[in-house]
């Protein structure tokens, strides 16, 4: 049963542009059925560097924004996950919306090979990577076959149906819930299901490294300029791993209740 009383918005993702402007993607936590939503219910708000109080500088309307990333030209890529509130694969197409710097209307829309679009990241060549986590939103409600959770790679000028390749996870559900690139262009993926972070060398689909110590329901990944990896864990911590980490305990562990995303300024 649906109610017309919508619960407050909740922050779903964070991103910083090159000027230090903070972008916050927010969704309405009540949106569980498409018949009771009166229209677009999500938004992205911008807060300038040094912000303390007052209204956001800009608000962009997006139905269900679940991930954000910037390319080297300052264009903002936003995952708009339609399945996230319908829970029905194929009911409405997921999208990657591309906004020019300062823009509030998409200049480009990507739709191919998206199913449960969650996180987005761009590598040093502006190649776009998108997490498709169908298990994040459908889960036990339907019989989800192995390999349904994927990462799709798109060319830097992808539009419409263009994409390059797909990374498929053999075990199910891995539930990919975080993406980040290190300075060597290796792709790191947070896997919520098995409590791991896996590394993929450029152009590969088989992990070259797996981190498990200190990982507990990972939801967000980020690297600082020194190459330190930060992992936000929904279980309530943020763990740090030094550049070149292979084994052993994290270099530091921060306590953060239900940590969902991490961003480095």
């Amino acid at each position: 049963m649906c109610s017309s009383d919508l619960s407050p918005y909740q922050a779903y993702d964070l991103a910083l542009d090159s000027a230090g402007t903070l972008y916050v993607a927010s969704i309405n936590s009540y949106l569980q059925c498409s018949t009771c939503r009166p229209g677009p219910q999500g938004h992205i708000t911008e807060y300038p560097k040094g912000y303390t109080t007052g209204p956001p500088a800009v608000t962009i309307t997006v139905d269900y924004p679940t991930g954000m990333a910037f390319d080297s030209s300052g264009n903002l890529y936003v995952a708009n996950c339609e399945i996230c509130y319908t829970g029905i694969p194929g009911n409405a197409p997921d999208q990657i919306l591309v906004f020019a710097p300062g823009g509030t209307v998409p200049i480009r829309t990507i739709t191919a090979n998206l199913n449960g679009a969650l996180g987005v990241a761009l590598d040093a060549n502006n190649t776009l990577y998108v997490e498709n986590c169908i298990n994040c939103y459908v889960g036990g409600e339907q019989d989800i076959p192995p390999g349904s959770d994927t990462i799709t790679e798109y060319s830097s000028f992808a539009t419409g149906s263009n994409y390059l390749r797909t990374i498929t996870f053999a075990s199910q559900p891995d539930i990919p819930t975080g993406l980040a690139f290190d300075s060597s262009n290796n792709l790191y993926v947070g896997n919520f299901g098995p409590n791991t972070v896996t590394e993929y060398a450029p152009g590969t689909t088989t992990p070259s490294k797996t981190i498990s110590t200190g990982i507990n329901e990972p939801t967000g990944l980020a690297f600082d300029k020194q190459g330190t990896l930060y992992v936000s864990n929904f279980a309530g911590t943020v763990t740090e791993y030094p550049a070149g980490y292979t084994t052993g305990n994290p270099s530091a562990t921060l306590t953060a209740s239900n940590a969902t995303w991490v961003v480095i300024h």
Side-chain angles (χ1 to χ4, degrees):
M1 183 175 67
C2 296
S3 169
S4 60
D5 296 326
L6 299 177
S7 61
Y9 287 94
Q10 61 184 19
Y12 206 87
D13 193 20
L14 306 175
L16 285 164
D17 66 14
S18 59
T21 300
L22 174 65
Y23 291 70
V24 181
S26 300
I27 61 174
N28 191 301
S29 59
Y30 185 78
L31 296 180
Q32 299 299 319
C33 74
S34 59
T35 58
C36 60
R37 61 185 179 93
Q41 290 294 319
H43 53 242
I44 296 169
T45 45
E46 301 178 22
Y47 301 88
K49 183 178 180 179
Y51 170 88
T52 54
T53 59
V58 178
T59 298
I60 304 172
T61 299
V62 176
D63 212 4
Y64 207 106
T66 52
M68 298 182 292
F70 289 94
D71 66 16
S72 60
S73 297
N75 297 307
L76 173 63
Y77 291 69
V78 179
N80 184 29
C81 183
E82 296 291 337
I83 192 179
C84 299
Y85 56 85
T86 65
I88 304 172
N91 187 63
D94 289 351
Q95 302 168 319
I96 302 299
L97 306 175
V98 185
F99 297 86
T104 58
V105 177
I107 59 172
R108 206 157 71 239
T109 300
I110 302 168
T111 58
N113 215 42
L114 298 173
N115 200 0
L118 180 62
V120 294
L122 291 110
D123 67 12
N125 301 313
N126 284 328
T127 301
L128 172 68
Y129 292 73
V130 180
E131 293 170 318
N132 293 291
C133 186
I134 187 106
N135 274 282
C136 296
Y137 309 108
V138 177
E141 298 176 15
Q142 300 185 37
D143 184 17
I144 307 300
S148 295
D149 290 341
T150 63
I151 293 175
T152 307
E153 178 184 335
Y154 301 82
S155 66
S156 57
F157 300 104
T159 58
S161 61
N162 299 326
Y163 66 95
L164 300 178
R165 69 184 180 114
T166 297
I167 299 173
T168 301
F169 298 96
S171 60
Q172 187 74 7
D174 268 354
I175 310 182
T177 51
L179 291 178
F181 286 93
D182 65 14
S183 60
S184 299
N185 227 24
N186 296 304
L187 173 64
Y188 284 70
V189 180
N191 302 292
F192 193 92
N195 294 318
T196 62
V197 172
T198 45
E199 175 195 294
Y200 296 83
T204 66
T205 58
T206 301
S208 53
K209 180 168 64 179
T210 298
I211 302 173
S212 58
T213 304
I215 306 298
N216 194 351
E217 299 178 342
T219 53
L221 310 177
F223 283 93
D224 66 16
K225 292 181 179 179
Q226 288 71 45
T228 300
L229 171 65
Y230 295 77
V231 181
S232 59
N233 298 287
F234 190 73
T237 62
V238 176
T239 45
E240 302 178 22
Y241 302 86
Y245 171 89
T246 53
T247 59
N249 293 324
S251 55
T253 300
L254 310 176
T255 300
S257 178
N258 297 128
T260 50
W261 305 103
V262 59
V263 62
I264 304 298
H265 175 49

